[in-house]
Amino acid sequence: MGRLVAESPHPSLPAYAGEIIGRKSEIAEVRQLLSRARLLTLTGPGGVGKTRLAIHVATHVQRAFSDGVCLVELSPVQDDRLLAMAIAETLGTQDEVPQLSTESMIEYLRAKQVLLILDNCEHLVEACARLAGALLTVAPKVQVLATSREPLGVPGETVFVVPPMSLPGAGDRVTGNDIHRYDALALLLDRARRAAPQTDISSSPAAVAQLCRLLDGLPLAIELAVVWLRVLSLDQIIDRLDGRLDFLSQGYRTALPRHQTLRAAVEWSFDLCSAQEQILWERLSVFSGGFDLAAAEEICSAEPLGREDILPLLADLTEKSIVTSETCGSRSRYRILETLREYGHERLSRRDAASSLQRRHAVYYQGLAQRNKTRWFGPDQVEYFTTIALELPNLRTAMEFCLGADFRIEEAVQTYTSLNGYWIFFAGPAEARHWFDRLLTVEQMPSRARFDVLATGVLFALMQGRQATAQRLIDECTSLAGQTGCEEALAMIRYLSGRLALMRGDYRSAVDQLEPSWEWYEYNLDQIRITRVPNDAFMPAFYLALAGIFAEDPRAGRWIARCREIAETGDARGEVAMGMWAAGVERWHAGDLEQAASLFRSSLSLERSTGYRYNPAWTVEFLAWIAAAQGHDMHAAHLMGAAGTMRNLLEVSLEGFRAYDEAHRACETSVRARLSEQDYHMAVGTGATFELNQAIAVALQEPAEPAPASPSAPPESVLTPRELEVAGLIAEGMRNKDIAARLVIAQRTAEGHVEHILEKLGFTSRTQVASWYVNHITRSPAEEGPASRPARP
């Protein structure tokens, strides 16, 4: 009876409909769920691959059903009264069941052992629910596998949400070896070879990853995009994806109509929503990156939707796979796929209310930034960083709106300055410079607002070592402060000027500038709430302490103690770590290397727990100098390479910090004198590949993650001698092609060795292999720290 999936391919899908790329974990989980669920519904947005996953699983479990696997395609069925007819036609039983009805089909299936696949139920969800519910009751050997954009809502139903295909993160480095580690990238590569065999995109892994991210990892969107490789390059396709709904319109002629273009697939989903759901979908398009319930209620609750309507409608859109939900900490956070967001925004833009909604969005996120701006110094700083990191896409959108047609410069300035703590300590100054440059082009900015923007710009220039830029901005700040006569502005200028003098190596002048600035903030700390960076006396005390150390001022110890006291009183862990760091600098300057190293490691460990990114770059650098002074040259070189990468990511110029630059050059000279040139460059190159947490772990001399070997076996015994040799070359930073050339083997053989190494060690990246090699193989058992043995077999 019926049609077995394996024997007759689905007529309205491409010939490879049953074939699937990747999805190993999803396949395993669906098979496991199907083994114990009578009704399993695969849900997810249109084009995510529900049908293909269902067909694949059904093909591999059909032997468990003596009466076969029946695939019922419901897309062409627009009337729920025709559901029974569709099933009968698929089973070929029209003649056996003379009066077709849902009841007669249930009766026919009562004694059958069959897997009934109801594909694309969303527009017939109530009829499918009635059928499935009845079958669960009267047909004990029938199992139902449904695909739908929302669950059927039947007692006993198990729901599996089919996610988009796996993708690398936006900041992840992607190499050619990584393409097959991510399902979306592997699918794009496979379909590209079919659609445009003359075009090799495997040599552009970063662009492949970018394209897949822009397409949300949706298989349908990827397949539609691939067709364009016949006439466009990968970069040209990426450039045209702003209009993806219309651009991705060259589908397969044999596909279902709603799968022939991306717009048709999205419109199908939109049409299945109620009028209120459609309105909320459109309004949610003002969000970027994601949102929480509070934001949705505040921004989207305008006529005809009340605040009380938002949560149930949001739940409905989540059920329909328009919105996705995830738990962040103790709260739920929601996201609408970019493709669906773009469609909603397109519709919203046609309405008169669009500008008003964007205005509400900007006001809400400006308020969020202001409410959080003092939280970076205190017990809530980790929560602050997390909140701002999550909402940064929305904050960017809000600032763009304020600087756009609805010009609101003071609101843009308030948002910008409220984010100082985040950019200074967590994210780095690169993006802050972008907004700084945008704001400075505004001519009609009030003097006080311009002073705040300029002062913030000075802070970021100082962080990056750009002395000339900092001086130019300080000069303009000084001019504006003179016009206002504001004491707070004058204290800020002294603070900024003192930091610049410290960077230049004019330590006595730095003390003379920073001391009165610190005293002003100390005096006014309890009387007024300082709303500009620094918002308390900590930062002036911190830099005054550093200036005192290098000026060999006898009061330096007192200033260090004061900045630590301020941090501890405020329960600000990041600043407590900075106070430890300042104490470490004092001990290093005095020649007490052991105590300095202990303080630096304590500081680094605490900074890691807060998520600070700027200070660890300097801590790792200082630990490199100490390692070199103690004769641990390979370890020092690794740390120098790691610190260099950390500074590069922050766009920090070492040359802008005189004391640090001199110490770095001295360390480099001494290490190079004791190591061979090859070993020195190899070790620095290895350190340069370390990711942030990996660099911190190496600096703290923490053991690498254990390899999956027996407890009695040494780490290197996990690998064969050849694999150990390849691991050493990976640690040198070599690519597969270079490894093949060095070992005189085929590149494919080298790739096989790398794959085996990753599998045996349980790793997913080459940087993990490099870290493992550095920690396990290059470390001498006789030493506390890394040995000076070359990092190679």
Side-chain angles (χ1 to χ4, degrees):
M1 60 159 280
R3 181 176 63 197
L4 293 181
V5 171
E7 295 177 355
S8 179
H10 198 297
S12 56
L13 288 175
Y16 49 84
E19 179 188 341
I20 199 163
I21 300 292
R23 295 288 201 188
K24 290 182 179 179
S25 61
E26 290 91 339
I27 291 168
E29 188 166 357
V30 170
R31 290 187 67 168
Q32 184 180 32
L33 292 173
L34 194 60
S35 69
R36 61 175 186 263
R38 293 279 314 284
L39 169 60
L40 174 61
T41 303
L42 309 185
T43 67
V48 80
K50 301 182 292 294
T51 297
R52 185 165 295 175
L53 180 58
I55 293 174
H56 182 88
V57 170
T59 300
H60 289 81
V61 301
Q62 60 176 319
R63 292 183 180 179
F65 299 90
S66 60
D67 292 305
V69 176
C70 175
L71 175 64
V72 184
E73 172 54 68
L74 297 177
S75 293
V77 182
Q78 298 304 312
D79 189 332
D80 58 9
R81 292 171 296 184
L82 299 178
L83 176 60
M85 176 64 74
I87 297 173
E89 287 178 351
T90 303
L91 291 171
T93 58
Q94 299 96 317
D95 297 335
E96 299 178 48
V97 185
Q99 292 186 335
L100 282 173
S101 65
T102 300
E103 291 73 18
S104 64
M105 287 310 306
I106 292 171
E107 185 62 31
Y108 177 82
L109 292 169
R110 179 188 293 269
K112 303 294 183 183
Q113 185 179 22
V114 65
L115 175 61
L116 184 65
I117 304 176
L118 300 178
D119 189 34
N120 297 302
C121 300
E122 53 270 0
H123 60 304
L124 302 174
V125 66
E126 292 184 5
C128 291
R130 288 194 299 271
L131 172 67
L135 288 173
L136 293 184
T137 302
V138 305
K141 295 182 180 180
V142 173
Q143 284 184 256
V144 179
L145 176 59
T147 72
S148 176
R149 299 187 191 186
E150 61 179 305
L152 301 186
V154 175
E157 177 184 31
T158 298
V159 178
F160 177 78
V161 180
V162 180
M165 302 190 88
S166 60
L167 289 164
D172 292 350
R173 181 183 175 188
V174 181
T175 67
N177 292 329
D178 297 322
I179 284 183
H180 293 286
R181 297 185 185 280
Y182 299 100
D183 291 349
L185 278 59
L187 177 66
L188 178 61
L189 193 63
D190 178 83
R191 298 303 187 248
R193 286 169 178 161
R194 297 172 184 266
Q198 74 286 356
T199 303
D200 181 15
I201 63 172
S202 61
S203 59
S204 304
V208 169
Q210 183 184 2
L211 177 58
C212 289
R213 280 193 291 263
L214 290 171
L215 297 173
D216 296 313
L218 290 176
L220 173 63
I222 290 171
E223 301 218 21
L224 292 172
V226 158
V227 177
W228 284 102
L229 284 171
R230 296 167 183 164
V231 292
L232 296 174
S233 70
L234 204 56
D235 289 338
Q236 287 175 316
I237 294 174
I238 290 170
D239 291 341
R240 284 163 172 76
L241 280 183
D242 282 345
R244 74 195 72 191
L245 291 169
D246 293 316
F247 177 66
L248 300 180
S249 60
Q250 302 295 319
Y252 295 93
R253 294 187 181 92
T254 56
L256 294 169
R258 70 170 189 276
H259 283 173
Q260 289 179 359
T261 72
L262 195 57
R263 177 176 293 280
V266 175
E267 286 178 343
W268 170 273
S269 293
F270 191 81
D271 291 341
L272 291 173
C273 293
S274 68
Q276 284 195 318
E277 290 167 354
Q278 291 176 349
I279 291 171
L280 184 58
W281 180 342
E282 293 174 359
R283 292 181 178 179
L284 293 178
S285 70
V286 299
F287 292 105
S288 299
F291 56 93
D292 58 20
L293 177 60
E297 289 177 332
E298 181 67 26
I299 295 168
C300 299
S301 57
E303 285 297 330
L305 303 182
R307 180 181 287 268
E308 69 280 1
D309 297 322
I310 302 302
L311 179 56
L313 288 173
L314 194 58
D316 291 341
L317 290 177
T318 302
E319 285 284 285
K320 287 180 165 64
S321 303
I322 307 305
V323 171
T324 60
S325 173
E326 62 179 350
T327 301
C328 293
S330 60
R331 296 187 178 184
S332 291
R333 187 166 179 83
Y334 304 92
R335 179 174 177 264
I336 182 168
L337 291 178
E338 184 60 26
T339 301
L340 305 182
R341 192 200 70 82
E342 182 180 310
Y343 180 78
H345 189 69
E346 180 183 288
R347 292 184 61 93
L348 180 68
S349 299
R350 301 174 194 158
R351 298 181 181 272
D352 295 337
S355 179
S356 173
L357 198 69
Q358 290 170 320
R359 171 81 186 120
R360 290 164 68 96
H361 177 276
V363 169
Y364 180 86
Y365 282 102
Q366 177 201 342
L368 181 141
Q370 287 186 290
R371 289 192 301 273
N372 279 276
K373 67 180 177 181
T374 58
R375 297 177 68 202
W376 69 263
F377 188 91
D380 298 329
Q381 60 187 185
V382 174
E383 184 181 349
Y384 161 77
F385 292 137
T386 302
T387 298
I388 297 301
L390 284 172
E391 298 295 1
L392 198 56
N394 283 307
L395 290 163
R396 292 174 182 137
T397 299
M399 290 186 66
E400 286 286 359
F401 179 79
C402 291
L403 293 174
D406 190 4
F407 191 67
R408 298 176 183 271
I409 184 60
E410 292 195 47
E411 293 177 14
V413 170
Q414 288 173 355
T415 303
Y416 172 72
T417 55
S418 295
L419 296 175
N420 284 349
Y422 175 78
W423 280 321
I424 288 173
F425 295 104
F426 188 76
E431 181 173 356
R433 284 179 57 193
H434 164 77
W435 293 110
F436 174 76
D437 293 340
R438 289 279 303 276
L439 288 166
L440 278 195
T441 62
V442 178
E443 296 180 357
Q444 59 270 44
M445 190 185 301
S447 296
R448 182 67 217 211
R450 187 170 181 84
F451 178 90
D452 290 342
V453 172
L454 288 168
T456 304
V458 176
L459 289 174
F460 295 130
L462 292 171
M463 286 177 64
Q464 294 181 298
R466 296 181 293 124
Q467 295 183 11
T469 299
Q471 183 63 71
R472 175 174 56 81
L473 297 176
I474 288 173
D475 291 344
E476 188 173 350
C477 281
T478 303
S479 175
L480 288 171
Q483 297 173 19
T484 63
C486 174
E487 287 187 6
E488 182 185 351
L490 295 173
M492 173 63 80
I493 289 170
R494 291 192 185 100
Y495 165 68
L496 298 174
S497 299
R499 283 188 58 177
L500 180 58
L502 173 61
M503 291 170 58
R504 288 172 169 167
D506 190 352
Y507 306 124
R508 190 69 256 165
S509 175
V511 170
D512 292 342
Q513 294 272 15
L514 286 164
E515 187 175 10
S517 173
W518 167 64
E519 289 173 346
W520 188 90
Y521 282 109
E522 281 272 303
Y523 179 78
N524 289 281
L525 189 60
D526 295 329
Q527 283 78 10
I528 63 172
R529 183 62 178 169
I530 305 298
T531 58
R532 295 163 185 86
V533 174
N535 72 340
D536 49 45
F538 175 80
M539 296 302 286
F542 176 76
Y543 284 102
L544 177 59
L546 291 181
I549 291 168
F550 289 107
E552 299 183 352
D553 192 302
R555 296 170 294 174
R558 177 161 62 89
W559 292 329
I560 293 171
R562 179 54 183 152
C563 74
R564 292 186 66 172
E565 179 186 5
I566 295 170
E568 289 166 359
T569 301
D571 196 15
R573 285 189 293 162
E575 283 63 43
V576 170
M578 292 172 66
M580 290 180 184
W581 186 86
V585 174
E586 189 278 329
R587 288 291 81 207
W588 168 80
H589 190 73
D592 185 354
L593 301 186
E594 291 293 338
Q595 182 63 18
S598 176
L599 287 164
F600 285 139
R601 292 192 183 105
S602 296
S603 171
L604 189 58
S605 180
L606 192 54
E607 284 171 341
R608 177 171 59 182
S609 72
T610 63
Y612 276 22
R613 299 185 181 182
Y614 182 77
N615 284 39
W618 295 113
T619 312
V620 171
E621 179 72 34
F622 268 83
L623 286 169
W625 305 342
I626 292 174
Q630 293 175 334
H632 304 313
D633 296 322
M634 289 295 290
H635 185 49
H638 287 144
L639 295 183
M640 289 172 69
T645 294
M646 295 164 78
R647 287 194 302 272
N648 289 338
L649 291 174
L650 295 167
E651 299 180 24
V652 171
S653 170
L654 185 61
E655 291 77 11
F657 302 82
R658 179 179 170 182
Y660 305 157
D661 188 39
E662 290 175 350
H664 174 86
R665 292 177 185 276
C667 175
E668 182 180 41
T669 299
S670 64
V671 171
R672 293 181 77 156
R674 293 191 293 266
L675 292 178
S676 70
E677 197 69 12
Q678 179 184 0
D679 288 343
Y680 171 78
H681 286 293
M682 178 188 70
V684 171
T686 296
T689 67
F690 294 165
E691 298 169 351
L692 175 64
N693 287 330
Q694 185 181 1
I696 291 174
V698 172
L700 294 175
Q701 296 186 339
E702 295 176 343
E705 296 180 5
S710 60
S712 60
E716 58 266 34
S717 69
V718 175
L719 306 182
T720 67
R722 175 63 97 181
E723 289 166 351
L724 192 61
E725 190 174 11
V726 171
L729 297 177
I730 291 173
E732 290 186 36
M734 286 193 176
R735 299 170 299 175
N736 289 344
K737 181 173 65 174
D738 303 322
I739 292 172
R742 171 74 69 86
L743 300 179
V744 196
I745 58 177
Q747 184 170 337
R748 181 171 297 179
T749 303
E751 292 171 354
H753 286 315
V754 173
E755 290 295 328
H756 291 152
I757 292 168
L758 292 168
E759 182 179 352
K760 288 182 176 181
L761 298 181
F763 294 156
T764 59
S765 72
R766 298 167 76 91
T767 55
Q768 288 176 298
V769 175
S771 176
W772 172 86
Y773 190 87
V774 168
N775 281 280
H776 282 95
I777 310 304
T778 66
R779 180 171 294 179
S780 169
E783 289 189 359
E784 290 287 331
S788 58
R789 185 168 51 147
R792 61 184 181 190

